[in-house]
mmCIF file of all heavy atoms in Angstrom:
data_model
loop_
_atom_site.group_PDB
_atom_site.id
_atom_site.type_symbol
_atom_site.label_atom_id
_atom_site.label_comp_id
_atom_site.label_asym_id
_atom_site.label_seq_id
_atom_site.Cartn_x
_atom_site.Cartn_y
_atom_site.Cartn_z
ATOM 1 N N ASP A 537 88.919 142.364 19.594
ATOM 2 C CA ASP A 537 89.444 141.009 19.368
ATOM 3 C C ASP A 537 89.493 140.200 20.665
ATOM 4 O O ASP A 537 89.148 139.012 20.695
ATOM 5 C CB ASP A 537 90.852 141.084 18.764
ATOM 6 C CG ASP A 537 90.775 141.164 17.237
ATOM 7 O OD1 ASP A 537 89.628 141.188 16.725
ATOM 8 O OD2 ASP A 537 91.831 141.189 16.580
ATOM 9 N N ASN A 611 85.796 138.027 10.458
ATOM 10 C CA ASN A 611 87.250 137.883 10.536
ATOM 11 C C ASN A 611 87.840 137.539 9.177
ATOM 12 O O ASN A 611 88.867 138.102 8.778
ATOM 13 C CB ASN A 611 87.621 136.801 11.555
ATOM 14 C CG ASN A 611 87.868 137.398 12.932
ATOM 15 O OD1 ASN A 611 88.720 138.270 13.094
ATOM 16 N ND2 ASN A 611 87.092 136.957 13.910
ATOM 17 N N LEU A 612 87.177 136.560 8.494
ATOM 18 C CA LEU A 612 87.750 136.104 7.220
ATOM 19 C C LEU A 612 87.689 137.229 6.174
ATOM 20 O O LEU A 612 88.665 137.479 5.450
ATOM 21 C CB LEU A 612 87.002 134.844 6.729
ATOM 22 C CG LEU A 612 87.171 133.604 7.614
ATOM 23 C CD1 LEU A 612 86.371 132.434 7.066
ATOM 24 C CD2 LEU A 612 88.641 133.211 7.722
ATOM 25 N N ASN A 615 90.179 139.983 7.117
ATOM 26 C CA ASN A 615 91.563 139.631 6.762
ATOM 27 C C ASN A 615 91.781 139.774 5.260
ATOM 28 O O ASN A 615 92.835 140.239 4.812
ATOM 29 C CB ASN A 615 91.884 138.197 7.206
ATOM 30 C CG ASN A 615 92.251 138.135 8.679
ATOM 31 O OD1 ASN A 615 92.413 139.176 9.322
ATOM 32 N ND2 ASN A 615 92.376 136.935 9.221
ATOM 33 N N ALA A 616 90.767 139.303 4.481
ATOM 34 C CA ALA A 616 90.916 139.367 3.023
ATOM 35 C C ALA A 616 91.091 140.815 2.560
ATOM 36 O O ALA A 616 91.857 141.106 1.636
ATOM 37 C CB ALA A 616 89.692 138.719 2.363
ATOM 38 N N LYS A 618 92.177 143.264 4.626
ATOM 39 C CA LYS A 618 93.384 143.826 5.246
ATOM 40 C C LYS A 618 94.657 143.381 4.543
ATOM 41 O O LYS A 618 95.571 144.194 4.320
ATOM 42 C CB LYS A 618 93.408 143.420 6.724
ATOM 43 C CG LYS A 618 94.589 144.004 7.478
ATOM 44 C CD LYS A 618 94.413 143.860 8.993
ATOM 45 C CE LYS A 618 94.517 142.434 9.438
ATOM 46 N NZ LYS A 618 94.481 142.325 10.903
ATOM 47 N N TYR A 619 94.729 142.092 4.202
ATOM 48 C CA TYR A 619 95.979 141.581 3.638
ATOM 49 C C TYR A 619 96.017 141.688 2.099
ATOM 50 O O TYR A 619 96.370 140.749 1.405
ATOM 51 C CB TYR A 619 96.227 140.144 4.131
ATOM 52 C CG TYR A 619 96.460 140.110 5.628
ATOM 53 C CD1 TYR A 619 95.517 139.588 6.495
ATOM 54 C CD2 TYR A 619 97.637 140.656 6.148
ATOM 55 C CE1 TYR A 619 95.726 139.587 7.867
ATOM 56 C CE2 TYR A 619 97.845 140.668 7.523
ATOM 57 C CZ TYR A 619 96.886 140.128 8.379
ATOM 58 O OH TYR A 619 97.110 140.160 9.729
ATOM 59 N N ASP A 645 90.691 135.416 -1.663
ATOM 60 C CA ASP A 645 91.090 136.786 -2.005
ATOM 61 C C ASP A 645 92.275 136.756 -2.953
ATOM 62 O O ASP A 645 92.822 135.688 -3.251
ATOM 63 C CB ASP A 645 91.414 137.584 -0.731
ATOM 64 C CG ASP A 645 92.577 137.013 0.039
ATOM 65 O OD1 ASP A 645 93.678 136.820 -0.560
ATOM 66 O OD2 ASP A 645 92.410 136.720 1.270
ATOM 67 N N ILE A 648 98.004 139.206 -0.349
ATOM 68 C CA ILE A 648 99.445 138.952 -0.272
ATOM 69 C C ILE A 648 99.768 137.475 -0.083
ATOM 70 O O ILE A 648 100.904 137.057 -0.255
ATOM 71 C CB ILE A 648 100.083 139.743 0.879
ATOM 72 C CG1 ILE A 648 99.462 139.313 2.235
ATOM 73 C CG2 ILE A 648 99.937 141.253 0.664
ATOM 74 C CD1 ILE A 648 100.162 139.914 3.434
ATOM 75 N N GLY A 649 98.795 136.672 0.274
ATOM 76 C CA GLY A 649 99.035 135.234 0.450
ATOM 77 C C GLY A 649 99.778 134.942 1.748
ATOM 78 O O GLY A 649 100.237 135.845 2.455
ATOM 79 N N ILE A 650 99.817 133.661 2.065
ATOM 80 C CA ILE A 650 100.501 133.244 3.291
ATOM 81 C C ILE A 650 101.606 132.277 2.896
ATOM 82 O O ILE A 650 101.333 131.263 2.233
ATOM 83 C CB ILE A 650 99.541 132.544 4.275
ATOM 84 C CG1 ILE A 650 98.395 133.496 4.661
ATOM 85 C CG2 ILE A 650 100.260 132.079 5.533
ATOM 86 C CD1 ILE A 650 97.316 132.854 5.514
ATOM 87 N N VAL A 658 98.861 129.708 11.411
ATOM 88 C CA VAL A 658 98.091 130.950 11.476
ATOM 89 C C VAL A 658 96.843 130.827 12.356
ATOM 90 O O VAL A 658 96.269 131.845 12.761
ATOM 91 C CB VAL A 658 97.684 131.434 10.063
ATOM 92 C CG1 VAL A 658 98.894 131.930 9.296
ATOM 93 C CG2 VAL A 658 96.937 130.334 9.317
ATOM 94 N N TYR A 663 99.329 134.209 16.889
ATOM 95 C CA TYR A 663 100.350 133.999 15.854
ATOM 96 C C TYR A 663 100.074 134.942 14.681
ATOM 97 O O TYR A 663 98.968 134.992 14.136
ATOM 98 C CB TYR A 663 100.345 132.543 15.365
ATOM 99 C CG TYR A 663 101.491 132.274 14.421
ATOM 100 C CD1 TYR A 663 102.748 131.944 14.928
ATOM 101 C CD2 TYR A 663 101.330 132.399 13.032
ATOM 102 C CE1 TYR A 663 103.813 131.738 14.066
ATOM 103 C CE2 TYR A 663 102.388 132.192 12.174
ATOM 104 C CZ TYR A 663 103.630 131.859 12.695
ATOM 105 O OH TYR A 663 104.684 131.669 11.842
ATOM 106 N N ARG A 664 101.098 135.608 14.250
ATOM 107 C CA ARG A 664 100.965 136.547 13.129
ATOM 108 C C ARG A 664 102.108 136.289 12.152
ATOM 109 O O ARG A 664 103.261 136.150 12.552
ATOM 110 C CB ARG A 664 101.015 137.984 13.622
ATOM 111 C CG ARG A 664 100.000 138.248 14.759
ATOM 112 C CD ARG A 664 99.857 139.716 15.057
ATOM 113 N NE ARG A 664 99.308 140.425 13.928
ATOM 114 C CZ ARG A 664 99.650 141.671 13.583
ATOM 115 N NH1 ARG A 664 100.532 142.319 14.294
ATOM 116 N NH2 ARG A 664 99.132 142.252 12.533
ATOM 117 N N ALA A 665 101.718 136.170 10.886
ATOM 118 C CA ALA A 665 102.748 135.859 9.890
ATOM 119 C C ALA A 665 103.631 137.073 9.585
ATOM 120 O O ALA A 665 104.839 136.960 9.466
ATOM 121 C CB ALA A 665 102.082 135.350 8.613
ATOM 122 N N ARG A 666 103.012 138.243 9.481
ATOM 123 C CA ARG A 666 103.808 139.440 9.163
ATOM 124 C C ARG A 666 103.446 140.551 10.132
ATOM 125 O O ARG A 666 102.756 141.516 9.779
ATOM 126 C CB ARG A 666 103.537 139.878 7.731
ATOM 127 C CG ARG A 666 104.082 138.890 6.725
ATOM 128 C CD ARG A 666 103.706 139.310 5.335
ATOM 129 N NE ARG A 666 104.208 138.344 4.369
ATOM 130 C CZ ARG A 666 103.819 138.304 3.110
ATOM 131 N NH1 ARG A 666 102.939 139.172 2.677
ATOM 132 N NH2 ARG A 666 104.323 137.405 2.297
ATOM 133 N N GLY A 671 98.606 145.676 10.921
ATOM 134 C CA GLY A 671 98.161 145.656 12.317
ATOM 135 C C GLY A 671 97.337 144.407 12.609
ATOM 136 O O GLY A 671 96.806 143.764 11.703
ATOM 137 N N GLY A 672 97.249 144.094 13.865
ATOM 138 C CA GLY A 672 96.440 142.920 14.242
ATOM 139 C C GLY A 672 96.882 142.344 15.574
ATOM 140 O O GLY A 672 97.896 142.752 16.141
ATOM 141 N N THR A 673 96.100 141.399 16.050
ATOM 142 C CA THR A 673 96.413 140.781 17.361
ATOM 143 C C THR A 673 96.849 139.328 17.222
ATOM 144 O O THR A 673 97.320 138.715 18.170
ATOM 145 C CB THR A 673 95.176 140.814 18.273
ATOM 146 O OG1 THR A 673 94.119 140.088 17.622
ATOM 147 C CG2 THR A 673 94.744 142.232 18.547
ATOM 148 N N GLY A 674 96.631 138.753 16.072
ATOM 149 C CA GLY A 674 96.932 137.312 15.921
ATOM 150 C C GLY A 674 95.859 136.434 16.557
ATOM 151 O O GLY A 674 96.052 135.237 16.755
ATOM 152 N N LEU A 675 94.674 137.031 16.846
ATOM 153 C CA LEU A 675 93.607 136.231 17.475
ATOM 154 C C LEU A 675 92.485 135.876 16.510
ATOM 155 O O LEU A 675 91.701 134.968 16.767
ATOM 156 C CB LEU A 675 92.999 137.000 18.659
ATOM 157 C CG LEU A 675 93.837 137.061 19.931
ATOM 158 C CD1 LEU A 675 93.163 137.972 20.945
ATOM 159 C CD2 LEU A 675 94.004 135.670 20.513
ATOM 160 N N GLY A 676 92.369 136.594 15.406
ATOM 161 C CA GLY A 676 91.227 136.447 14.500
ATOM 162 C C GLY A 676 91.005 135.010 14.052
ATOM 163 O O GLY A 676 89.899 134.460 14.195
ATOM 164 N N LEU A 677 92.036 134.371 13.492
ATOM 165 C CA LEU A 677 91.860 132.997 12.987
ATOM 166 C C LEU A 677 91.699 131.987 14.130
ATOM 167 O O LEU A 677 91.021 130.968 13.969
ATOM 168 C CB LEU A 677 93.038 132.613 12.083
ATOM 169 C CG LEU A 677 93.096 133.390 10.753
ATOM 170 C CD1 LEU A 677 94.290 132.950 9.910
ATOM 171 C CD2 LEU A 677 91.810 133.182 9.950
ATOM 172 N N ALA A 678 92.342 132.289 15.285
ATOM 173 C CA ALA A 678 92.152 131.402 16.453
ATOM 174 C C ALA A 678 90.693 131.443 16.888
ATOM 175 O O ALA A 678 90.092 130.416 17.221
ATOM 176 C CB ALA A 678 93.069 131.836 17.598
ATOM 177 N N THR A 701 94.851 134.118 -1.093
ATOM 178 C CA THR A 701 94.623 133.063 -0.084
ATOM 179 C C THR A 701 93.164 132.614 -0.137
ATOM 180 O O THR A 701 92.274 133.403 -0.478
ATOM 181 C CB THR A 701 94.929 133.630 1.321
ATOM 182 O OG1 THR A 701 96.209 134.273 1.280
ATOM 183 C CG2 THR A 701 94.959 132.538 2.365
ATOM 184 N N PHE A 703 90.334 130.542 2.307
ATOM 185 C CA PHE A 703 89.966 129.869 3.574
ATOM 186 C C PHE A 703 88.698 129.049 3.335
ATOM 187 O O PHE A 703 87.743 129.547 2.720
ATOM 188 C CB PHE A 703 89.716 130.888 4.683
ATOM 189 C CG PHE A 703 90.995 131.478 5.237
ATOM 190 C CD1 PHE A 703 91.555 132.624 4.676
ATOM 191 C CD2 PHE A 703 91.646 130.865 6.302
ATOM 192 C CE1 PHE A 703 92.735 133.155 5.182
ATOM 193 C CE2 PHE A 703 92.825 131.399 6.808
ATOM 194 C CZ PHE A 703 93.382 132.545 6.255
HETATM 195 P P1 ADP B 22 95.781 139.348 12.645
HETATM 196 O O1 ADP B 22 95.128 139.512 11.381
HETATM 197 O O2 ADP B 22 95.203 140.150 13.725
HETATM 198 O O3 ADP B 22 97.256 139.421 12.595
HETATM 199 P P2 ADP B 22 94.761 136.722 12.354
HETATM 200 O O4 ADP B 22 94.647 135.601 13.306
HETATM 201 O O5 ADP B 22 93.524 137.173 11.784
HETATM 202 O O6 ADP B 22 95.527 137.853 13.093
HETATM 203 O O7 ADP B 22 95.724 136.264 11.241
HETATM 204 C C1 ADP B 22 96.894 135.628 11.570
HETATM 205 C C2 ADP B 22 97.888 135.869 10.483
HETATM 206 O O8 ADP B 22 97.511 135.190 9.287
HETATM 207 C C3 ADP B 22 97.964 137.252 10.090
HETATM 208 O O9 ADP B 22 98.917 137.968 10.873
HETATM 209 C C4 ADP B 22 98.387 137.168 8.651
HETATM 210 O O10 ADP B 22 99.820 137.097 8.556
HETATM 211 C C5 ADP B 22 97.826 135.915 8.166
HETATM 212 N N1 ADP B 22 96.636 136.090 7.339
HETATM 213 C C6 ADP B 22 95.386 135.976 7.779
HETATM 214 N N2 ADP B 22 94.510 136.164 6.782
HETATM 215 C C7 ADP B 22 95.238 136.406 5.685
HETATM 216 C C8 ADP B 22 94.911 136.667 4.356
HETATM 217 N N3 ADP B 22 93.623 136.698 3.907
HETATM 218 N N4 ADP B 22 95.920 136.861 3.462
HETATM 219 C C9 ADP B 22 97.207 136.814 3.910
HETATM 220 N N5 ADP B 22 97.573 136.569 5.155
HETATM 221 C C10 ADP B 22 96.590 136.346 6.044
#
Side-chain angles (χ1 to χ4, degrees):
D537 272 2
N611 267 302
L612 294 179
N615 278 352
K618 183 167 69 174
Y619 295 109
D645 62 54
I648 61 172
I650 300 174
V658 290
Y663 187 84
R664 307 191 64 215
R666 292 176 181 166
T673 59
L675 285 174
L677 292 180
T701 310
F703 284 89

